[in-house]
Amino acid sequence: MAGLSFGALRVGKKYYLINFGDRYEFQLETIQSNGDFKVKDLNTLERYTITDLIKFGKGKDFEIRELDER
């Protein structure tokens, strides 16, 4: 696994996650008391949790990185 760990994620920052060939771009909105993260998708504006993205496991390509804002 490459990229950032879940402990390095910060509220208000924008990230992308790659898992099983899919790429998700999101902004982290809140860190929940159970350790999960509530995020807002930057493309669809849908809100969901990180566990929704990885509920089927982490692929060999699993990676979280901060989005460059240029």
Side-chain angles (χ1 to χ4, degrees):
M1 290 198 295
L4 300 171
S5 68
F6 288 119
L9 303 182
R10 300 293 178 245
V11 173
K13 297 273 188 170
K14 295 177 181 176
Y15 301 95
Y16 68 87
L17 181 147
I18 298 173
N19 196 24
F20 293 114
D22 293 326
R23 179 180 167 124
Y24 304 93
E25 295 181 356
F26 60 88
Q27 180 173 13
L28 194 128
E29 291 190 321
T30 60
I31 301 172
Q32 298 178 330
S33 61
N34 65 357
D36 202 358
F37 302 94
K38 210 162 213 188
V39 300
K40 180 173 82 173
D41 190 292
L42 295 176
N43 297 310
T44 65
L45 304 180
E46 181 182 2
R47 288 181 166 84
Y48 46 81
T49 62
I50 289 286
T51 55
D52 289 337
L53 295 179
I54 60 172
K55 65 183 170 187
F56 298 113
K58 295 178 186 174
K60 291 182 180 181
D61 63 344
F62 183 81
E63 180 176 15
I64 299 175
R65 296 271 184 194
E66 192 168 348
L67 274 174
D68 280 340
E69 295 194 35
R70 295 178 186 183

